Amino acid sequence: MKMKSLVRWCLALSVAGITLSSGLFSGTLKALALTETQIVERLKTIPVFAVADENGAPLVARIPQNAQSTPDPDSPSVAGVFINPIDAQAFITRLKQENPNLGNKLQIIPVSLGDIYQLDRRNSQQEGVDFTYVPTSRQVELAQQLNPENFQGVPLFVAKAGAEGGYLTLQQNDEQVIPFFFEKEGIEQMVERFKEQQPSLANTIQIQAVPLEGVIQTLEQNDNAELEKIVLIPTQASLEYINTLRQQQR
C-alpha cells in the first residue's frame, strides 16, 4: 500500500478548485476504455480493507452451489473487501462475539483497490479466491434514493450541471479530473462550493449514483481517452485510517 501517495491525494483535494466540464462526458458512461495498466492507475490510490488471520491470509467463505445445499470444499471461495474500515472493524467485532476463537485472530489489512482488481482478474483465469466488494449500507441507501430502481453494487457519486449535463470537475496538477466519490457527503460538499462559484447553474445540478462495478466494466470494454480524467475519491474514514497507520509506522 502506497500510504504516502494516498495522503498526498487527500491534501491535493483539500485545495482543489472546482470547474464545470461540459464537453468531457455527456449523457451516460457508455461507449467509453482503458488498458489494464490505466485502470490500475485509476484504482491504486483507493484503500480497501480485507479481514485476515494472524498470518495475513484473507478470511474466505465457501459459497454453496444453491440455496438448499451446504458449502463443500469444492465450492467457490469468496473473500469480502470492505470499502470502509469502520465496516471491516464492525464485522470483526461481531465475529468476536459469535465465534471468539476465530474473531480474536482476525485483523484488518489495508490493500490497494488496484491490487485487488489485478488479483481478481488473475483468479478469474484460474482457480482462486473471488473478491466481493462490501459497501457501506448507508451509502447504498443514499444511492437507492437517487435511483428509481433498486441499486446494486458499491455506490459512486458524481455530479452534473449545465444545459448539456457536463460533469463537475476538480482542478489537480494543472489538469481537470472528474471525481467519483465513494460517499455522497463528499460530492455534496463539492456541489455547495460549485454553487457559490456558479450560482446561475445551481438549479441545474444533479447528483447521480453509479456502481463501482459498472464503472470498472465500462473502463474495460470501451475506448475513449477522456476516461483518463476519471478519479475515485475514497471515504474520509479510509484516508484517516491510512494516515493513522502511517503515523504509527513512523
Side-chain angles (χ1 to χ4, degrees), residues 153-168:
V154 176
L156 290 173
F157 299 93
V158 65
K160 290 182 174 182
E164 298 180 6
Y167 282 83
L168 299 192

Side-chain angles (χ1 to χ4, degrees), residues 90-250:
F91 176 77
I92 291 178
T93 300
R94 186 168 64 251
L95 274 184
K96 286 181 178 180
Q97 297 172 347
E98 298 174 355
N99 187 346
N101 290 333
L102 174 61
N104 289 327
K105 299 178 182 178
L106 299 178
Q107 60 179 322
I108 298 175
I109 303 293
V111 294
S112 163
L113 180 58
D115 290 341
I116 293 295
Y117 170 77
Q118 285 186 308
L119 186 58
D120 206 27
R121 282 177 60 89
R122 190 179 308 121
N123 290 344
S124 67
Q125 299 172 2
Q126 57 189 3
E127 291 187 6
V129 176
D130 292 330
F131 293 96
T132 181
Y133 302 122
V134 183
T136 298
S137 58
R138 171 60 178 164
Q139 298 303 322
V140 173
E141 292 172 0
L142 293 173
Q144 290 173 341
Q145 293 173 9
L146 293 173
N147 292 49
E149 299 180 358
N150 188 34
F151 188 93
Q152 300 291 330
V154 176
L156 290 173
F157 299 93
V158 65
K160 290 182 174 182
E164 298 180 6
Y167 282 83
L168 299 192
T169 66
L170 291 172
Q171 191 78 18
Q172 196 210 20
N173 298 330
D174 299 324
E175 294 182 358
Q176 288 184 345
V177 297
I178 303 174
F180 284 65
F181 289 79
F182 280 92
E183 291 178 309
K184 188 169 183 280
E185 294 81 358
I187 193 66
E188 288 174 338
Q189 292 177 11
M190 178 179 173
V191 164
E192 289 305 312
R193 290 170 60 190
F194 178 76
K195 287 180 179 180
E196 295 175 358
Q197 296 179 12
Q198 300 285 347
S200 62
L201 296 176
N203 292 333
T204 69
I205 297 174
Q206 292 184 336
I207 295 177
Q208 298 180 342
V210 295
L212 168 66
E213 298 85 349
V215 171
I216 291 176
Q217 186 177 35
T218 297
L219 298 178
E220 292 174 333
Q221 295 181 352
N222 300 288
D223 187 15
N224 189 314
E226 299 295 349
L227 286 172
E228 296 184 22
K229 298 185 181 296
I230 289 180
V231 295
L232 306 184
I233 312 299
T235 67
Q236 187 63 34
S238 300
L239 293 172
E240 291 173 356
Y241 188 93
I242 296 301
N243 196 23
T244 299
L245 287 181
R246 181 169 175 259
Q247 292 175 355
Q248 291 173 351
Q249 289 181 355
R250 285 178 175 177

